[in-house]
Amino acid sequence: MDTLQSLSLKQLQYFAAVAEYGSFRQAAFRLDITQPTLSNQVAAMEKTIKIQLFERSRKGITLTTQGRELLASARRVLEEAQGFTTQAALLSGGGMGTYRLGVPHTLGPYLLPHILNPIHDIYSELKLYVREETPSDLETGLINGQHDLILSTLPIMSNELVVAPLFREPVKLAIARDHRLARKSPVNRMDLLGEPVLTLSEHHLFHRQINELCERVGAVVRRDYEGTSLDTLRHMVVMGMGIAFLPALYVQSEIRNSKELCVADVEGINVVRNHALVWRNTSPSRGFYRELADAIKAIIDESLVDVVLPASRSRKLETA
């Protein structure tokens, strides 16, 4: 009991942060505290529990075996504390607190500007700490407690997570103004036979989606010129290196008034990306997350009705 009373939530937070970032310096920067303060608090925690949490060497730090065992418990305690704070705030009408939201590089920058202000109008004290990662890293990070919830492209594979579908995003064809297909209306799927298509590097989920599409229509993915971002793809299309399929929200944000590119739908192709808000099924804040998902869905259905499609009702994507 004396040991438990000596520990603090702050120390557990510091321990989890160092484990997440793999560096005292980076964790201190993220926590907005000095590195000596962080080091002293972690050392005090190790002394209290009589366990060394990290192996320290010139190459950096790694979790000890005991540290790995304790990390999951520390994250659960922090999550329960966050849930307690949130529930108390809701009951008292006070502040909502800060949540860690993970988003994909190909979605976050083009969706968040449409929904953050309306969300703030509904939950004025809610704060979202946003981090961009690939969908696979987002799912892993959510399971491991690095995120509280994520906006992610489906599919989500883990049965530990709750999936609340938000909307479907069409994929558009981007063509340089001097390309032969730019003068063709409408563009048909047969026009894509043998056409070189640019896409993102293979660690992106979007790469796999476009690769499958190209296999169906007989287009050729240019693996020698894979883009690192959607902006990179756009620039390569302008330079005549190929055509590219781009998400509708990106097109609306970055290409809508472009004088260098034209955007088209392709007859015979109906490709969409399904997006959802996702959280752990054990989260103490899961009731609020479900409410937040409904609010985001309503905002999208109203403000982006000309860009995206309602979430699919054809199959049950949300799990208890």
Side-chain angles (χ1 to χ4, degrees), residues 74-86 282-284 286:
R75 285 172 170 161
R76 283 196 296 271
V77 170
L78 291 170
E79 187 171 54
E80 289 292 338
Q82 177 66 60
F84 177 87
T85 302
T86 300
T282 57
S283 173
R286 55 188 178 274

Side-chain angles (χ1 to χ4, degrees), residues 72-294:
S73 296
R75 285 172 170 161
R76 283 196 296 271
V77 170
L78 291 170
E79 187 171 54
E80 289 292 338
Q82 177 66 60
F84 177 87
T85 302
T86 300
Q87 185 177 11
L90 289 171
L91 292 172
S92 67
M96 297 293 300
T98 301
Y99 293 88
R100 299 164 298 174
L101 174 66
V103 297
H105 302 85
T106 60
L107 175 64
Y110 317 109
L111 174 65
L112 293 181
H114 296 282
I115 66 174
L116 288 184
N117 281 340
I119 290 174
H120 182 68
D121 291 339
I122 301 171
Y123 307 104
S124 60
E125 298 300 321
L126 173 64
K127 297 179 178 61
L128 295 174
Y129 168 57
V130 181
R131 289 183 60 182
E132 292 184 4
E133 292 181 347
T134 62
S136 60
D137 289 338
L138 287 173
E139 184 173 346
T140 300
L142 180 59
I143 292 171
N144 292 338
Q146 296 169 11
H147 308 296
D148 296 313
L149 64 168
I150 60 174
L151 278 167
S152 185
T153 305
L154 300 181
I156 293 292
M157 306 307 296
S158 174
N159 57 11
E160 299 177 37
L161 303 177
V162 178
V163 177
L166 297 177
F167 65 97
R168 293 175 292 154
E169 182 185 20
V171 173
K172 305 288 186 177
L173 180 64
I175 312 166
R177 289 286 181 182
D178 58 356
H179 192 280
R180 66 177 182 86
L181 293 180
R183 299 184 295 274
K184 191 175 190 308
S185 181
V187 177
N188 189 276
R189 62 178 292 163
M190 296 303 297
D191 297 319
L192 303 181
L193 184 64
E195 194 69 31
V197 175
L198 301 163
T199 187
L200 296 175
S201 54
E202 60 184 11
H203 72 279
H204 289 274
L205 174 61
F206 192 56
H207 169 93
R208 297 196 293 273
Q209 294 171 322
I210 300 306
N211 190 60
E212 292 172 0
L213 169 60
C214 289
E215 288 180 355
R216 293 204 307 269
V217 301
V220 181
V221 174
R222 293 207 64 174
R223 301 188 183 280
D224 50 341
Y225 292 108
E226 293 178 339
T228 56
S229 68
L230 295 177
D231 282 339
T232 304
L233 289 184
R234 184 187 73 194
H235 296 320
M236 289 195 292
V237 171
V238 171
M239 295 300 294
M241 299 177 68
I243 61 177
F245 289 95
L246 297 172
L249 284 170
Y250 175 82
V251 169
Q252 189 229 24
S253 173
E254 306 297 326
I255 304 181
R256 183 172 47 179
N257 298 317
S258 174
K259 297 180 180 179
E260 301 170 316
L261 294 176
C262 62
V263 177
D265 292 315
V266 180
E267 287 191 344
I269 292 179
N270 182 24
V271 179
V272 296
R273 302 199 304 165
N274 291 283
H275 301 299
L277 190 67
V278 187
W279 59 89
R280 291 181 295 278
N281 57 18
T282 57
S283 173
S285 300
R286 55 188 178 274
F288 169 65
Y289 295 158
R290 193 176 299 277
E291 178 184 318
L292 180 62
D294 290 340

